[in-house]
Amino acid sequence: MSRRQVRGSQKISKSRGRRSENKKVLIVTEGVKTEPQYFEGLASHLNAQAVHVISVRPIGTGRDPLSVVREADQRRRREEQDGDAFDSVWCVVDVDTHATLPSACELASRNSLHIAVSSPCFEIWLLWHFEEHRAWVTVQALAGKLKKHGVSGKKLPSNFPYSKYPEAKARAEKCEAIRVNHSPPNPSSSVSELIAELEHACKVKGREQP
């Protein structure tokens, strides 16, 4: 089975003849469990509603933002050399306490890679699936708030509300705008830009109607 037959955590039957219909997206994340699991779950949810199917490959590095961008660039080049290039490559990173974030943003820009930054961390994006939150927040406080919604540890529950991503996007838009990627306000997240691209690629039914 070729790598092009992978759709999130599911296998699909897909020939190269359909390549032009479907978009192939690489998402390289800082976290090794939560973020890849979220994007696999979201891709499955979007594909279930979609006119066009997307192929999303989430990969967690467990390293700092600069390492995430380097990994994404290496994987993109490798796929290009194999003759099956990604249509879009995203790096998902946190502000947290990382000193390499400015360098990561600069490298991503030089190599035409997309970067989605969350402040203080990706968990703010998860929280917005459940509730509004616009005040400054710590990583520890976010973990406590998510625990009240059944999200504890690094593994998302099987009933995580992926369908609530439009609410998360709307809540992200209410926060202070991100003007400089390497210094975004707390709280904020540009993951919504990645979600918008996935949604557009899928042409999710009911969302493009006038």
Side-chain angles (χ1 to χ4, degrees):
M1 179 175 290
S2 76
R3 284 171 294 182
R4 298 309 307 274
Q5 291 173 296
V6 177
R7 186 184 70 179
S9 59
Q10 301 176 332
K11 305 296 183 185
I12 60 174
S13 176
K14 176 180 171 186
S15 69
R16 284 185 177 273
R18 293 179 58 195
R19 176 67 179 88
S20 60
E21 297 179 10
N22 305 328
K23 193 164 185 177
K24 181 182 173 187
V25 182
L26 172 65
I27 302 173
V28 181
T29 68
E30 190 178 321
V32 296
K33 293 184 178 178
T34 307
E35 289 97 321
Q37 187 182 356
Y38 173 81
F39 288 111
E40 285 183 356
L42 181 70
S44 293
H45 172 76
L46 291 175
N47 283 330
Q49 306 176 75
V51 176
H52 296 297
V53 175
I54 55 171
S55 170
V56 175
R57 188 189 303 175
I59 298 168
T61 66
R63 286 170 282 169
D64 65 283
L66 186 57
S67 298
V68 170
V69 174
R70 286 172 174 162
E71 180 73 22
D73 192 44
Q74 289 175 2
R75 288 181 180 267
R76 180 187 65 174
R77 293 175 188 274
R78 195 181 310 153
E79 208 76 351
E80 286 175 350
Q81 291 171 357
D82 289 346
D84 195 16
F86 289 104
D87 296 295
S88 181
V89 179
W90 285 81
C91 305
V92 177
V93 301
D94 298 339
V95 170
D96 206 353
T97 57
H98 293 308
T100 66
L101 183 56
S103 301
C105 292
E106 183 180 348
L107 181 62
S109 178
R110 284 204 310 268
N111 290 284
S112 300
L113 301 173
H114 301 290
I115 189 163
V117 185
S118 297
S119 177
C121 59
F122 183 73
E123 279 68 17
I124 185 64
W125 176 257
L126 298 181
L127 181 65
W128 283 331
H129 288 66
F130 299 98
E131 64 177 76
E132 183 86 69
H133 186 91
R134 298 169 63 181
W136 190 92
V137 66
T138 65
V139 173
Q140 293 74 19
L142 276 174
K145 288 179 176 294
L146 282 168
K147 191 173 183 179
K148 294 177 182 176
H149 294 290
V151 181
S152 181
K154 295 295 183 182
K155 184 176 181 181
L156 296 180
S158 58
N159 62 345
F160 185 86
Y162 296 101
S163 63
K164 299 291 186 183
Y165 76 88
E167 285 88 335
K169 286 172 62 180
R171 287 165 178 155
E173 290 171 0
K174 291 179 181 178
C175 293
E176 183 180 348
I178 298 176
R179 303 185 188 283
V180 181
N181 275 340
H182 64 75
S183 184
N186 178 334
S188 65
S189 177
S190 54
V191 169
S192 56
E193 296 174 13
L194 165 55
I195 304 301
E197 181 177 315
L198 296 179
E199 192 178 24
H200 179 73
C202 284
K203 301 187 187 310
V204 174
K205 295 173 183 175
R207 296 193 181 282
E208 294 200 338
Q209 299 302 317

